[in-house]
Coordinates of all heavy atoms in Angstrom, one line a residue:
M1 N -39.2 17.7 140.8 CA -40.2 16.7 141.0 C -41.2 17.3 142.0 O -40.8 17.7 143.1 CB -39.6 15.4 141.5 CG -40.6 14.4 141.8 SD -39.9 12.8 142.1 CE -38.5 13.2 143.2
I2 N -42.5 17.2 141.7 CA -43.5 17.7 142.7 C -44.4 16.5 143.0 O -44.8 15.8 142.0 CB -44.4 18.8 142.0 CG1 -43.5 20.0 141.7 CG2 -45.5 19.2 142.9 CD1 -44.1 21.1 140.9
F3 N -44.8 16.3 144.2 CA -45.7 15.2 144.6 C -47.1 15.7 144.7 O -47.3 16.8 145.1 CB -45.3 14.6 146.0 CG -44.0 13.9 145.9 CD1 -42.9 14.4 146.4 CD2 -44.0 12.6 145.4 CE1 -41.7 13.7 146.4 CE2 -42.8 11.9 145.4 CZ -41.7 12.4 145.9
Y4 N -48.0 15.0 144.2 CA -49.4 15.3 144.4 C -49.7 15.1 145.9 O -49.0 14.4 146.6 CB -50.3 14.4 143.6 CG -50.2 14.6 142.1 CD1 -50.1 13.5 141.2 CD2 -50.2 15.9 141.6 CE1 -50.0 13.7 139.9 CE2 -50.1 16.1 140.2 CZ -50.1 15.0 139.4 OH -50.0 15.2 138.0
L5 N -50.8 15.7 146.3 CA -51.1 15.6 147.7 C -51.8 14.2 148.0 O -51.8 13.8 149.2 CB -52.1 16.7 148.1 CG -51.5 18.1 148.1 CD1 -52.5 19.1 148.4 CD2 -50.3 18.2 149.0
G6 N -52.2 13.5 147.0 CA -52.8 12.2 147.2 C -51.8 11.1 147.4 O -51.0 10.9 146.5
M7 N -51.7 10.5 148.5 CA -50.8 9.4 148.8 C -51.6 8.2 149.4 O -52.5 8.5 150.2 CB -49.7 9.8 149.7 CG -48.7 10.8 149.1 SD -47.4 11.0 150.3 CE -46.3 12.0 149.3
A8 N -51.2 7.0 149.1 CA -51.9 5.9 149.7 C -50.9 5.2 150.7 O -49.7 5.0 150.3 CB -52.3 4.9 148.7
T9 N -51.4 4.9 151.9 CA -50.5 4.1 152.8 C -50.6 2.7 152.4 O -51.6 2.2 152.0 CB -51.0 4.3 154.3 OG1 -52.3 3.9 154.4 CG2 -50.9 5.8 154.7
V10 N -49.5 2.0 152.6 CA -49.4 0.6 152.3 C -48.8 -0.1 153.6 O -48.0 0.5 154.3 CB -48.5 0.3 151.1 CG1 -49.2 0.7 149.8 CG2 -47.2 0.9 151.1
P11 N -49.2 -1.4 153.8 CA -48.8 -2.0 155.1 C -47.3 -2.4 155.1 O -46.8 -2.7 156.2 CB -49.7 -3.3 155.1 CG -50.1 -3.5 153.7 CD -50.1 -2.2 153.0
R12 N -46.7 -2.6 154.0 CA -45.3 -3.0 154.0 C -44.6 -2.4 152.8 O -45.3 -1.8 151.9 CB -45.2 -4.5 154.0 CG -45.8 -5.1 152.7 CD -45.6 -6.6 152.6 NE -46.3 -7.1 151.5 CZ -45.9 -7.0 150.2 NH1 -44.8 -6.4 149.9 NH2 -46.6 -7.5 149.2
E13 N -43.3 -2.5 152.6 CA -42.6 -2.0 151.5 C -43.0 -2.8 150.2 O -42.9 -4.0 150.2 CB -41.1 -2.1 151.6 CG -40.4 -1.6 150.5 CD -38.9 -1.7 150.6 OE1 -38.4 -2.4 151.6 OE2 -38.1 -1.2 149.7
P14 N -43.6 -2.1 149.2 CA -43.9 -2.8 147.9 C -42.6 -3.3 147.3 O -41.6 -2.5 147.3 CB -44.6 -1.8 147.1 CG -45.0 -0.7 148.0 CD -44.1 -0.8 149.2
S15 N -42.5 -4.5 146.8 CA -41.3 -5.0 146.2 C -41.1 -4.7 144.7 O -40.1 -4.8 144.2 CB -41.1 -6.5 146.5 OG -42.3 -7.1 145.9
T16 N -42.2 -4.2 144.1 CA -42.2 -3.9 142.7 C -43.0 -2.6 142.4 O -43.8 -2.2 143.2 CB -42.9 -5.0 141.8 OG1 -44.3 -5.1 142.2 CG2 -42.2 -6.4 142.1
A17 N -42.7 -2.0 141.3 CA -43.4 -0.8 140.9 C -44.9 -1.1 140.7 O -45.8 -0.3 140.9 CB -42.8 -0.3 139.6
Q18 N -45.2 -2.3 140.2 CA -46.6 -2.7 140.0 C -47.4 -2.7 141.3 O -48.6 -2.3 141.3 CB -46.7 -4.1 139.3 CG -46.2 -4.1 137.9 CD -44.7 -4.1 137.7 OE1 -44.0 -4.4 138.7 NE2 -44.2 -3.8 136.6
E19 N -46.8 -3.2 142.4 CA -47.5 -3.1 143.7 C -47.8 -1.7 144.1 O -48.9 -1.4 144.6 CB -46.7 -3.9 144.7 CG -46.7 -5.3 144.6 CD -45.8 -6.0 145.7 OE1 -45.3 -5.3 146.5 OE2 -45.7 -7.2 145.6
C20 N -46.8 -0.8 143.9 CA -47.0 0.6 144.3 C -48.0 1.2 143.3 O -48.9 2.0 143.8 CB -45.7 1.3 144.2 SG -45.6 2.9 145.1
D21 N -48.0 0.8 142.1 CA -49.0 1.4 141.1 C -50.4 1.0 141.5 O -51.3 1.9 141.4 CB -48.7 0.8 139.7 CG -49.6 1.4 138.6 OD1 -49.8 2.7 138.7 OD2 -50.1 0.7 137.8
K22 N -50.7 -0.2 142.0 CA -52.0 -0.6 142.4 C -52.5 0.2 143.6 O -53.6 0.5 143.7 CB -52.0 -2.1 142.8 CG -52.0 -3.0 141.6 CD -52.1 -4.4 142.0 CE -52.2 -5.4 140.9 NZ -52.3 -6.8 141.3
A23 N -51.5 0.6 144.5 CA -51.9 1.3 145.7 C -52.0 2.8 145.5 O -52.8 3.5 146.2 CB -50.9 1.0 146.8
A24 N -51.2 3.4 144.6 CA -51.2 4.8 144.4 C -52.5 5.3 143.9 O -53.0 4.8 142.9 CB -50.1 5.2 143.5
P25 N -53.0 6.4 144.5 CA -54.3 6.9 144.0 C -54.1 7.6 142.7 O -53.1 8.2 142.4 CB -54.7 8.0 145.1 CG -53.4 8.3 145.8 CD -52.5 7.1 145.6
S26 N -55.1 7.5 141.8 CA -55.0 8.1 140.5 C -55.9 9.3 140.4 O -55.8 10.0 139.4 CB -55.4 7.1 139.4 OG -56.7 6.6 139.6
D27 N -56.7 9.6 141.4 CA -57.6 10.7 141.3 C -57.1 12.0 141.8 O -57.7 13.0 141.8 CB -58.9 10.4 142.1 CG -58.6 10.0 143.5 OD1 -57.5 10.2 144.0 OD2 -59.5 9.4 144.1
K28 N -55.9 12.0 142.4 CA -55.2 13.3 142.9 C -56.0 14.0 144.0 O -55.8 15.2 144.1 CB -54.9 14.2 141.7 CG -54.0 13.6 140.6 CD -53.8 14.6 139.5 CE -53.2 13.9 138.4 NZ -53.3 14.7 137.1
K29 N -56.8 13.3 144.7 CA -57.6 13.9 145.8 C -56.6 14.1 147.0 O -55.7 13.3 147.2 CB -58.7 13.0 146.2 CG -59.9 13.0 145.2 CD -61.0 12.2 145.7 CE -62.2 12.1 144.7 NZ -63.3 11.3 145.2
T30 N -56.9 15.2 147.7 CA -56.1 15.5 148.9 C -56.4 14.5 150.0 O -57.6 14.3 150.3 CB -56.4 16.9 149.3 OG1 -56.1 17.8 148.3 CG2 -55.6 17.3 150.5
R31 N -55.4 14.0 150.6 CA -55.6 13.2 151.8 C -54.5 13.5 152.8 O -53.4 13.6 152.5 CB -55.4 11.7 151.4 CG -55.5 10.8 152.5 CD -55.6 9.3 152.0 NE -55.7 8.5 153.2 CZ -55.1 7.3 153.3 NH1 -54.4 6.9 152.4 NH2 -55.3 6.6 154.4
V32 N -55.0 13.8 154.0 CA -54.0 14.1 155.1 C -53.6 12.8 155.8 O -54.4 12.0 156.2 CB -54.7 15.0 156.1 CG1 -53.8 15.3 157.3 CG2 -55.2 16.3 155.5
V33 N -52.3 12.7 155.9 CA -51.7 11.5 156.5 C -50.8 12.0 157.7 O -50.0 12.9 157.5 CB -50.8 10.8 155.5 CG1 -50.1 9.6 156.2 CG2 -51.6 10.3 154.3
E34 N -51.1 11.5 158.9 CA -50.3 11.9 160.0 C -48.9 11.1 159.9 O -48.9 9.9 159.8 CB -51.0 11.4 161.3 CG -50.2 11.8 162.6 CD -50.9 11.4 163.8 OE1 -52.1 11.2 163.8 OE2 -50.2 11.3 164.8
P35 N -47.8 11.9 159.9 CA -46.5 11.2 159.7 C -46.2 10.4 161.0 O -46.3 10.9 162.1 CB -45.6 12.4 159.5 CG -46.2 13.6 160.2 CD -47.7 13.3 160.1
R36 N -45.7 9.2 160.7 CA -45.2 8.4 161.8 C -44.1 7.5 161.3 O -44.1 7.1 160.1 CB -46.3 7.6 162.5 CG -46.9 6.5 161.7 CD -48.0 5.8 162.5 NE -48.5 4.7 161.8 CZ -49.4 4.7 160.8 NH1 -49.9 5.8 160.4 NH2 -49.8 3.6 160.2
A37 N -43.1 7.2 162.1 CA -42.0 6.3 161.7 C -42.5 5.0 161.2 O -43.4 4.4 161.8 CB -41.0 6.2 162.8
G38 N -41.9 4.5 160.1 CA -42.3 3.2 159.6 C -43.5 3.2 158.6 O -43.9 2.1 158.2
L39 N -44.0 4.4 158.3 CA -45.1 4.5 157.4 C -44.6 4.4 155.9 O -43.6 5.1 155.6 CB -45.8 5.8 157.6 CG -47.1 6.0 156.9 CD1 -48.2 5.0 157.3 CD2 -47.7 7.4 157.2
W40 N -45.2 3.6 155.1 CA -44.9 3.6 153.7 C -46.0 4.2 152.9 O -47.2 4.0 153.2 CB -44.8 2.1 153.2 CG -43.7 1.4 153.9 CD1 -43.8 0.6 155.0 CD2 -42.4 1.3 153.4 NE1 -42.5 0.1 155.3 CE2 -41.6 0.5 154.3 CE3 -41.7 1.8 152.3 CZ2 -40.3 0.2 154.1 CZ3 -40.4 1.6 152.2 CH2 -39.7 0.8 153.1
L41 N -45.7 5.1 151.9 CA -46.6 5.8 151.1 C -46.3 5.6 149.6 O -45.2 5.6 149.2 CB -46.6 7.3 151.4 CG -46.8 7.7 152.9 CD1 -46.4 9.1 153.1 CD2 -48.2 7.5 153.2
C42 N -47.3 5.4 148.8 CA -47.2 5.3 147.4 C -47.9 6.5 146.8 O -49.0 6.8 147.2 CB -47.8 4.0 146.8 SG -46.8 2.5 147.1
T43 N -47.3 7.1 145.8 CA -47.9 8.3 145.2 C -47.4 8.4 143.7 O -46.5 7.7 143.3 CB -47.5 9.6 145.9 OG1 -48.3 10.7 145.4 CG2 -46.1 9.9 145.9
R44 N -48.0 9.3 143.0 CA -47.6 9.6 141.6 C -47.0 11.0 141.6 O -47.5 11.9 142.3 CB -48.8 9.5 140.7 CG -49.4 8.1 140.6 CD -50.6 8.1 139.7 NE -51.4 6.9 139.9 CZ -51.0 5.7 139.5 NH1 -49.9 5.5 138.8 NH2 -51.8 4.6 139.7
T45 N -45.9 11.2 140.8 CA -45.3 12.5 140.7 C -46.0 13.2 139.5 O -46.9 12.7 138.9 CB -43.8 12.4 140.4 OG1 -43.7 11.9 139.0 CG2 -43.1 11.5 141.4
D46 N -45.6 14.5 139.3 CA -46.2 15.3 138.3 C -46.0 14.7 136.9 O -46.7 15.0 135.9 CB -45.8 16.7 138.4 CG -44.3 16.9 138.3 OD1 -43.6 15.9 138.5 OD2 -43.8 18.0 138.2
D47 N -44.9 13.9 136.7 CA -44.6 13.2 135.5 C -45.3 11.9 135.3 O -45.0 11.1 134.4 CB -43.1 13.1 135.3 CG -42.4 14.4 135.2 OD1 -43.0 15.4 134.9 OD2 -41.2 14.4 135.6
D48 N -46.2 11.6 136.3 CA -46.9 10.3 136.4 C -45.9 9.1 136.6 O -46.2 8.0 136.2 CB -47.8 10.0 135.1 CG -48.9 9.1 135.5 OD1 -49.4 9.1 136.7 OD2 -49.4 8.3 134.7
A49 N -44.8 9.4 137.2 CA -43.9 8.4 137.7 C -44.4 7.9 139.0 O -45.3 8.6 139.6 CB -42.5 8.9 137.8
L50 N -44.0 6.8 139.5 CA -44.4 6.3 140.8 C -43.3 6.6 141.8 O -42.1 6.5 141.5 CB -44.6 4.8 140.7 CG -45.8 4.3 139.9 CD1 -45.8 2.8 139.7 CD2 -47.1 4.7 140.7
A51 N -43.7 6.9 143.0 CA -42.8 7.1 144.1 C -43.2 6.4 145.3 O -44.4 6.3 145.7 CB -42.7 8.6 144.4
L52 N -42.3 5.7 146.0 CA -42.5 5.1 147.3 C -41.7 5.9 148.3 O -40.5 6.1 148.2 CB -41.9 3.6 147.2 CG -41.9 2.9 148.5 CD1 -43.3 2.7 149.0 CD2 -41.2 1.6 148.4
V53 N -42.4 6.4 149.3 CA -41.8 7.2 150.3 C -41.9 6.4 151.6 O -43.0 6.0 152.1 CB -42.6 8.5 150.5 CG1 -42.0 9.4 151.6 CG2 -42.7 9.3 149.2
E54 N -40.7 6.3 152.3 CA -40.7 5.6 153.6 C -40.4 6.7 154.6 O -39.4 7.5 154.5 CB -39.6 4.6 153.7 CG -39.5 4.0 155.1 CD -38.3 3.1 155.4 OE1 -37.5 3.0 154.4 OE2 -38.2 2.6 156.5
I55 N -41.2 6.9 155.7 CA -40.9 7.8 156.7 C -40.1 7.1 157.8 O -40.5 6.1 158.4 CB -42.2 8.3 157.4 CG1 -43.0 9.1 156.3 CG2 -41.9 9.3 158.5 CD1 -44.4 9.6 156.8
R56 N -38.8 7.5 157.9 CA -37.9 6.8 158.8 C -38.0 7.3 160.2 O -38.0 6.5 161.2 CB -36.4 7.0 158.3 CG -36.1 6.3 157.0 CD -35.7 4.9 157.3 NE -35.5 4.1 156.1 CZ -34.3 3.6 155.7 NH1 -33.2 4.0 156.3 NH2 -34.3 2.9 154.6
T57 N -38.0 8.6 160.4 CA -38.1 9.2 161.8 C -39.0 10.4 161.7 O -39.1 11.1 160.6 CB -36.7 9.6 162.3 OG1 -36.2 10.7 161.5 CG2 -35.8 8.5 162.5
V58 N -39.7 10.7 162.8 CA -40.5 11.9 162.9 C -40.3 12.5 164.2 O -40.3 11.9 165.3 CB -42.0 11.6 162.7 CG1 -42.9 12.8 162.9 CG2 -42.3 10.9 161.4
T59 N -40.1 13.9 164.3 CA -40.0 14.6 165.5 C -40.8 15.8 165.4 O -41.0 16.4 164.3 CB -38.5 15.0 165.8 OG1 -38.0 15.7 164.7 CG2 -37.7 13.8 166.1
F60 N -41.4 16.3 166.5 CA -42.2 17.5 166.6 C -41.3 18.6 166.9 O -40.5 18.6 167.9 CB -43.3 17.3 167.6 CG -44.2 18.6 167.7 CD1 -45.1 18.8 166.7 CD2 -44.0 19.4 168.8 CE1 -45.9 20.0 166.8 CE2 -44.8 20.6 168.9 CZ -45.8 20.8 167.9
D61 N -41.4 19.7 166.1 CA -40.6 20.9 166.4 C -41.5 22.0 167.0 O -42.3 22.6 166.4 CB -40.0 21.4 165.0 CG -39.1 22.7 165.2 OD1 -39.0 23.1 166.4 OD2 -38.6 23.1 164.2
P62 N -41.3 22.2 168.3 CA -42.2 23.1 169.0 C -42.0 24.6 168.6 O -42.9 25.4 168.7 CB -41.8 23.0 170.5 CG -40.5 22.4 170.5 CD -40.3 21.6 169.2
R63 N -40.8 24.9 168.0 CA -40.6 26.3 167.5 C -41.5 26.6 166.3 O -42.0 27.7 166.2 CB -39.2 26.5 167.1 CG -38.2 26.5 168.4 CD -36.8 26.5 167.9 NE -36.6 25.3 167.2 CZ -35.5 25.1 166.4 NH1 -34.6 26.0 166.2 NH2 -35.3 23.9 165.8
S64 N -41.7 25.7 165.5 CA -42.5 25.9 164.3 C -43.9 25.2 164.4 O -44.7 25.4 163.5 CB -41.8 25.4 163.0 OG -41.7 24.0 163.1
S65 N -44.2 24.5 165.5 CA -45.4 23.7 165.7 C -45.7 22.8 164.5 O -46.8 22.6 164.0 CB -46.6 24.7 165.8 OG -46.5 25.4 167.0
G66 N -44.6 22.2 164.0 CA -44.7 21.3 162.9 C -43.8 20.1 163.1 O -43.1 20.0 164.1
F67 N -44.0 19.1 162.2 CA -43.2 17.9 162.2 C -42.0 18.0 161.3 O -42.0 18.6 160.3 CB -44.1 16.7 161.8 CG -45.2 16.4 162.7 CD1 -46.4 16.8 162.5 CD2 -44.9 15.6 163.8 CE1 -47.5 16.5 163.4 CE2 -45.9 15.3 164.7 CZ -47.2 15.7 164.5
Q68 N -40.9 17.3 161.7 CA -39.7 17.2 160.9 C -39.6 15.7 160.7 O -39.6 14.9 161.6 CB -38.5 17.8 161.6 CG -37.3 17.7 160.7 CD -36.1 18.4 161.4 OE1 -36.2 18.8 162.5 NE2 -35.0 18.4 160.7
A69 N -39.4 15.3 159.4 CA -39.3 13.9 159.1 C -38.1 13.6 158.2 O -37.8 14.4 157.4 CB -40.6 13.4 158.4
D70 N -37.5 12.4 158.4 CA -36.5 11.9 157.6 C -37.2 10.9 156.6 O -37.8 9.9 157.1 CB -35.4 11.2 158.3 CG -34.6 12.2 159.2 OD1 -34.3 13.3 158.7 OD2 -34.3 11.8 160.3
L71 N -37.0 11.1 155.3 CA -37.7 10.3 154.3 C -36.7 9.6 153.5 O -35.6 10.1 153.2 CB -38.6 11.2 153.4 CG -39.6 12.1 154.1 CD1 -40.3 13.0 153.1 CD2 -40.6 11.3 154.9
W72 N -37.1 8.4 153.0 CA -36.3 7.7 152.0 C -37.2 7.5 150.8 O -38.4 7.2 151.0 CB -35.9 6.3 152.5 CG -34.8 6.5 153.5 CD1 -34.8 6.8 154.8 CD2 -33.4 6.2 153.2 NE1 -33.6 6.9 155.3 CE2 -32.7 6.5 154.4 CE3 -32.7 5.9 152.1 CZ2 -31.3 6.4 154.5 CZ3 -31.3 5.8 152.2 CH2 -30.6 6.0 153.4
L73 N -36.7 7.8 149.6 CA -37.5 7.8 148.4 C -37.0 6.8 147.4 O -35.8 6.8 147.1 CB -37.5 9.2 147.8 CG -38.2 9.5 146.5 CD1 -39.7 9.4 146.8 CD2 -37.8 10.8 146.0
T74 N -38.0 6.1 146.8 CA -37.7 5.2 145.6 C -38.6 5.8 144.5 O -39.8 5.9 144.7 CB -38.0 3.8 145.9 OG1 -37.2 3.3 147.0 CG2 -37.7 2.9 144.7
L75 N -38.0 6.0 143.4 CA -38.7 6.6 142.2 C -38.7 5.6 141.1 O -37.6 5.2 140.7 CB -38.1 7.9 141.9 CG -38.8 8.7 140.7 CD1 -40.2 9.1 141.1 CD2 -38.0 9.9 140.4
W76 N -39.8 5.3 140.5 CA -39.9 4.5 139.3 C -40.4 5.3 138.2 O -41.4 6.1 138.4 CB -40.8 3.3 139.5 CG -40.4 2.2 140.4 CD1 -39.3 1.3 140.2 CD2 -40.9 1.9 141.7 NE1 -39.2 0.5 141.3 CE2 -40.2 0.8 142.3 CE3 -42.0 2.4 142.5 CZ2 -40.5 0.3 143.5 CZ3 -42.2 1.9 143.7 CH2 -41.5 0.8 144.2
R77 N -39.9 5.2 137.0 CA -40.4 5.9 135.8 C -41.1 5.0 134.9 O -40.8 3.9 134.8 CB -39.3 6.6 135.1 CG -38.8 7.8 135.8 CD -38.1 8.7 134.8 NE -38.2 10.1 135.2 CZ -39.3 10.9 135.0 NH1 -40.3 10.5 134.4 NH2 -39.3 12.1 135.3

């Protein structure tokens, strides 16, 4: 499964696939999102399934100058 770079932030966890579908971008445009704990993202996969991504924790790794995040994923087909 490959995620497109376009993701839409949502203010709370969508309770249905339809809510995530309304929020997920359909144009596949690149959007940079700063990772932070508690952030909800809706996106489409390469199979045009819907994915809800919750960022649970984020830490900065000084060795790689990057972020490490724990994610939870819900996938709807």
Side-chain angles (χ1 to χ4, degrees):
M1 176 173 45
I2 298 171
F3 290 103
Y4 292 135
L5 296 176
M7 293 186 171
T9 58
V10 289
R12 59 174 177 77
E13 178 183 8
S15 57
T16 66
Q18 290 79 13
E19 287 179 1
C20 200
D21 183 44
K22 284 184 180 180
S26 59
D27 55 13
K28 302 178 191 165
K29 288 184 179 176
T30 301
R31 179 168 179 220
V32 177
V33 176
E34 182 181 340
R36 67 180 189 280
L39 187 65
W40 294 94
L41 304 166
C42 285
T43 189
R44 298 180 195 284
T45 69
D46 55 346
D47 296 335
D48 207 30
L50 290 167
L52 172 64
V53 180
E54 178 193 0
I55 300 176
R56 293 271 175 112
T57 62
V58 178
T59 54
F60 180 74
D61 182 357
R63 292 174 294 166
S64 65
S65 296
F67 291 98
Q68 181 175 6
D70 293 320
L71 307 174
W72 285 79
L73 176 71
T74 302
L75 182 65
W76 292 289
R77 287 204 149 276

